[in-house]
């Protein structure tokens, strides 16, 4: 989501959303500084570079508009964002990525050991936050998502540099790698509001999946100044994404392409241009749009302002590509 789209959602939520998100920021900053200067530096930088705080925002909106300004809601929002930060740090370790959002990754700045420890710290603090609220159901929701995140990473590792990956397998990988944490954010918010049914989780999972599809489109289309990384960076790491899967079916040369042989930004730009020429980016984007539409249809009966805010988030996922 763009900054403007996020601000529109926050404006609709009003001052209570602003206050909850401010408390989330303060709490994360406090947690980052509790474990010595080295980890404090890297955990703090990871938290500070956290982007638009989309997942904490979803926790707030799923709880209500206006949301209840409870310690439990703040803890849930903090926990989701800490898990998100941990996965980014660990992904950079596994991929050997020197950059994260256009800045040196923890791996590049501190080395593999420090990066691994930083990710572990963020994970452990996330569950400590939820445990402090005393909600077994909340811990169960985030634990399920964390297990699925690990399954998604293992699936991605198994498919690295693969010559053939089915669309179905790719979508399941994206659901596990991205969708489940969006789902958990919505479920945690619903729990804090006292609702027994967690139907909002289906909404979150679908927009999380759409988010990942569009992220993979942006990896091919760029530009680098927008994405913070060179075009085709995921392909260079051996990650087979939907645009390439679709393009391989349409272009024999791409079907025979060995990702291991690719090197350098110029070569990657040529491959990205060839993928784009097949129409694969338009088809992948259309699939993301369909997911957003179906996500909005899954929303249960909600107060008008809450439904409007959640629909704005869904639309903002698409808007980030436009």
């Amino acid at each position: 989501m763009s900054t403007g789209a996020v601000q529109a959602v926050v404006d609709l939520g009003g001052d209570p959303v602003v206050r909850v998100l401010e408390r989330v920021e303060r709490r994360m900053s406090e947690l980052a500084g509790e474990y010595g200067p080295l980890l404090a530096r890297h955990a703090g930088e990871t938290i500070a570079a956290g982007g638009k705080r989309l997942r904490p925002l979803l926790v707030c909106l799923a709880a209500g508009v206006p949301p209840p300004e409870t310690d439990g809601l703040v803890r849930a929002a903090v926990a989701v964002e800490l898990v998100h930060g941990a996965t980014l740090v660990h992904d950079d370790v596994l991929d050997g990525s020197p950059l994260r959002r256009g800045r040196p990754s923890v791996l590049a700045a501190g080395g593999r050991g420090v990066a691994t420890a930083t990710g572990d710290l963020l994970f452990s603090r996330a569950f400590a936050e939820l445990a402090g609220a005393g909600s077994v159901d909340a811990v169960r929701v985030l634990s399920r998502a964390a297990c699925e995140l690990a399954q998604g990473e293992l699936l991605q590792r198994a498919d690295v540099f693969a010559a053939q990956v089915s669309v179905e397998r790719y979508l399941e990988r994206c659901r596990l790698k991205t969708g489940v944490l969006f789902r958990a954010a919505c479920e945690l918010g619903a729990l804090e509001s006292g609702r027994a049914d967690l139907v909002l989780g289906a909404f979150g999972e679908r927009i999380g999946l759409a988010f990942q599809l569009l992220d993979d489109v942006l990896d091919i289309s760029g530009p680098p100044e927008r994405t913070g990384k060179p075009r085709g960076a995921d392909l260079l790491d051996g990650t087979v994404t939907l645009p390439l899967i679709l393009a391989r079916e349409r272009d024999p040369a791409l079907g025979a392409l060995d990702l291991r042989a690719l090197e350098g930004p110029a070569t990657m730009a040529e491959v990205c241009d060839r993928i784009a020429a097949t129409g694969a980016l338009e088809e992948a984007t259309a699939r993301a749009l369909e997911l957003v539409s179906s996500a909005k249809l899954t929303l249960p009966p909600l107060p008008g302002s809450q439904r409007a805010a959640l629909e704005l988030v869904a639309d903002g996922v698409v808007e980030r590509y436009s």
Side-chain angles (χ1 to χ4, degrees):
M1 291 179 70
S2 69
T3 301
V6 171
Q7 190 59 53
V9 176
V10 172
D11 289 345
L12 187 58
D15 290 341
V17 169
V18 173
R19 288 193 292 267
V20 170
L21 293 178
E22 287 175 346
R23 289 176 62 188
V24 169
E25 293 297 325
R26 288 197 298 271
R27 181 60 180 157
M28 289 194 295
S29 295
E30 291 169 3
L31 293 174
E34 291 181 354
Y35 297 90
L38 183 61
L39 281 178
R41 173 193 162 197
H42 292 292
E45 288 177 354
T46 299
I47 289 168
K52 306 299 191 308
R53 305 300 191 213
L54 180 54
R55 293 156 192 82
L57 182 58
L58 277 173
V59 176
C60 291
L61 300 178
V65 176
E69 298 180 55
T70 60
D71 288 344
L73 186 65
V74 173
R75 285 178 177 272
V78 167
V80 168
E81 190 66 6
L82 290 178
V83 167
H84 175 54
T87 62
L88 297 182
V89 175
H90 282 163
D91 280 353
D92 288 343
V93 172
L94 291 169
D95 297 336
S97 300
L99 295 176
R100 169 61 61 180
R101 295 194 176 100
R103 301 169 60 180
S105 64
V106 179
L107 175 69
R112 186 181 184 89
V114 169
T116 301
T118 300
D120 291 348
L121 169 64
L122 295 173
F123 257 122
S124 62
R125 282 307 317 175
F127 286 96
E129 279 298 287
L130 285 186
S135 172
V136 174
D137 286 337
V139 173
R140 186 178 294 117
V141 163
L142 195 59
S143 295
R144 176 191 173 195
C147 290
E148 289 175 309
L149 286 166
Q151 290 173 335
E153 185 58 48
L154 289 173
L155 195 59
Q156 183 164 306
R157 292 298 110 192
D159 289 345
V160 68
F161 293 116
Q164 295 296 327
V165 177
S166 70
V167 171
E168 293 73 23
R169 184 176 174 95
Y170 162 84
L171 291 173
E172 175 63 4
R173 188 182 80 209
C174 291
R175 185 188 74 82
L176 293 169
K177 285 273 294 178
T178 305
V180 298
L181 198 55
F182 280 71
R183 182 196 69 214
C186 290
E187 290 181 347
L188 288 170
L191 279 173
E192 188 59 28
S193 72
R195 285 197 302 273
D197 96 77
L198 302 180
V199 69
L200 281 176
F203 167 82
E205 189 168 286
R206 281 184 172 90
I207 65 168
L209 184 52
F211 184 96
Q212 185 59 59
L213 263 63
L214 290 174
D215 202 55
D216 291 342
V217 168
L218 287 170
D219 181 63
I220 303 299
S221 63
E225 55 268 22
R226 180 178 180 183
T227 62
K229 58 183 181 180
R231 288 177 69 198
D234 291 340
L235 298 183
L236 200 59
D237 291 334
T239 302
V240 180
T241 59
L242 184 59
L244 178 60
I245 294 170
L246 298 174
R248 276 174 164 171
E249 297 172 354
R250 303 171 182 186
D251 183 334
L254 290 172
L257 179 69
D258 183 355
L259 293 178
R260 293 181 182 85
L262 299 178
E263 53 184 51
T267 302
M268 286 310 307
E270 291 177 7
V271 171
C272 289
D273 288 342
R274 188 152 193 154
I275 292 171
T278 67
L281 299 186
E282 288 78 7
E283 182 175 340
T285 301
R287 285 175 179 259
L289 290 169
E290 289 171 6
L291 283 165
V292 168
S293 295
S294 66
K296 291 159 72 172
L297 290 174
T298 67
L299 285 171
L302 295 168
S305 56
Q306 185 180 19
R307 186 181 189 91
L310 289 168
E311 288 183 344
L312 270 179
V313 172
D315 292 337
V317 167
V318 177
E319 183 262 358
R320 68 196 276 264
Y321 181 70
S322 61

